[in-house]
Amino acid sequence: MHAETSPLSPQAAAALIAWFRDAGIDALVSEAPRDRFAETAAEAAERAERPAHPPTPEGRAAVAVPAGSPAQPAERALPQGEAEAGGAFPATAVAVPDEIAIADARERAASAATLDELRETLAGFTSCNLRLTASSLVFGDGDPQADLMLIGEAPGREEDLAGHPFVGRSGQFLNRMLEAIGLERDRVRVTNTVPWRPPGNRAPTPAETEICRPFLTRHIQLVRPKVLICLGSPSAKMVLQTQEGILRLRGRWTSYSFGLGPGETIPAMAMLHPAYLLRQPAQKRHAWRDLLSLKEKLDALAAGSA
Ligand code: URA
């Protein structure tokens, strides 16, 4: 016998969709089968026929997106009949080649003169896939002129809902770590390598990281902190441009210079991520040592002897 299905209430439907989104599901399955192999082959054939750089109206090859003309995500065309059938496959791909998205990001980030402008610019930046599944932009928070800037990996579920970095369990632990060396959270600047939550909390891809990099670099330039701390391996690898493992890297002072004035550097250090410390409490002894080293550095800078 066929069980009768009762329609979901709007609240239950919304909860189900939120659950799908949190689990990283970003495409729906339609009633009719769909041959993805045939579609891919057709797309490849179509691409092969197109010129690599389509000519612009002026006849020049388009290699970069001009300022003020956002690289709009091109919606993937649905096969005939499916759009009318309710468009079972939402457009989830931002069809902007990575190099163009990165060039666009560089140009836009460089044109932001203040943190507010940078936030606005990011809010209007459509060339990164991550924004399609995120609920909000998590730009960063804390003192815009802080001496200390902390960079995490990516917003999680709580941060995505709140629109602020490090507000969940690991954020609360981070606050306690800072308090342990006499720092209040709102006196430091906090942001992440990417400003949108990756679906299902997966790691950002290298392309997503590179597309977001110019915004992070500009964020650092505009805050001009005296000390930079990378929380966890992905942040350390991206910001300090190293492939070394976090367990070897943590606690060692290095310098950050990217995008600062000529010859200008600031001390930078990687620390273990608070979420990792919550999972591996035995590692907290390393974090404590690193926090003491950070306090020493900040005190020395304040005294003008670092
Ligand atoms: N983990 C991060 O790396 N960043 C956040 O904002 C929250 C958790």
Side-chain angles (χ1 to χ4, degrees):
M1 207 177 76
H2 214 71
E4 201 162 295
T5 50
S6 53
L8 287 177
S9 69
Q11 291 85 350
L16 185 61
I17 291 168
W19 185 81
F20 283 154
R21 193 193 56 209
D22 289 346
I25 296 169
D26 56 10
L28 306 180
V29 176
S30 68
E31 304 244 318
R34 185 165 170 174
D35 187 346
R36 295 278 185 186
F37 292 108
E39 278 172 27
T40 308
E43 276 171 21
E46 194 203 329
R47 251 199 318 274
E49 276 170 22
R50 259 187 267 139
H53 295 302
T56 61
E58 296 84 34
R60 280 179 282 114
V63 290
V65 178
S69 61
Q72 293 298 337
E75 300 210 344
R76 198 176 45 195
L78 293 168
Q80 249 192 349
E82 207 163 89
E84 299 88 58
F89 291 85
T92 53
V94 170
V96 177
D98 295 339
E99 323 78 73
I100 294 198
I102 294 168
D104 185 27
R106 283 204 189 113
E107 200 167 330
R108 286 160 183 274
S111 70
T114 64
L115 286 178
D116 284 343
E117 277 182 31
L118 188 64
R119 180 200 291 270
E120 282 298 299
T121 305
L122 254 177
F125 181 70
T126 55
S127 303
C128 181
N129 268 325
L130 289 177
R131 66 170 293 146
L132 296 175
T133 45
S135 305
S136 50
L137 169 70
V138 180
F139 177 63
D141 68 9
D143 186 347
Q145 296 176 316
D147 284 348
L148 172 63
M149 186 160 178
L150 306 173
I151 302 170
E153 180 184 4
R157 183 170 183 275
E158 307 293 324
E159 290 74 22
D160 184 47
L161 293 175
H164 291 282
F166 284 101
V167 293
R169 239 182 112 228
S170 61
Q172 284 157 23
F173 186 56
L174 174 64
N175 294 353
R176 286 183 20 226
M177 289 165 66
L178 293 172
E179 277 164 23
I181 54 166
L183 289 172
E184 287 163 34
R185 163 75 186 257
D186 57 9
R187 300 270 317 279
V188 307
R189 186 78 192 169
V190 184
T191 190
N192 282 302
T193 59
V194 297
W196 294 284
R197 180 198 183 200
N201 284 354
R202 67 161 170 75
T205 65
E208 288 159 354
T209 304
E210 287 311 309
I211 291 169
C212 295
R213 181 191 289 278
F215 295 103
L216 176 65
T217 305
R218 187 70 183 139
H219 202 143
I220 299 170
Q221 283 175 334
L222 290 169
V223 173
R224 290 206 153 252
K226 296 200 174 103
V227 176
L228 204 56
I229 295 290
C230 299
L231 296 169
S233 173
S235 165
K237 284 184 173 156
M238 174 189 178
V239 177
L240 305 178
Q241 309 226 313
T242 173
Q243 285 309 312
E244 235 183 312
I246 186 72
L247 293 177
R248 286 178 58 87
L249 201 59
R250 57 139 284 275
R252 276 174 20 210
W253 286 104
T254 177
S255 50
Y256 175 92
S257 59
F258 198 66
L260 303 178
E264 202 181 328
T265 63
I266 52 174
M269 181 172 74
M271 286 182 55
L272 299 173
H273 194 287
Y276 174 76
L277 295 171
L278 287 171
R279 290 195 306 272
Q280 304 281 341
Q283 302 285 340
K284 285 182 187 172
R285 64 185 199 282
H286 294 308
W288 178 237
R289 222 174 285 147
D290 299 345
L291 282 168
L292 291 178
S293 173
L294 170 60
K295 180 168 167 43
E296 208 176 297
K297 180 69 75 181
L298 289 169
D299 288 348
L301 284 164
S305 58

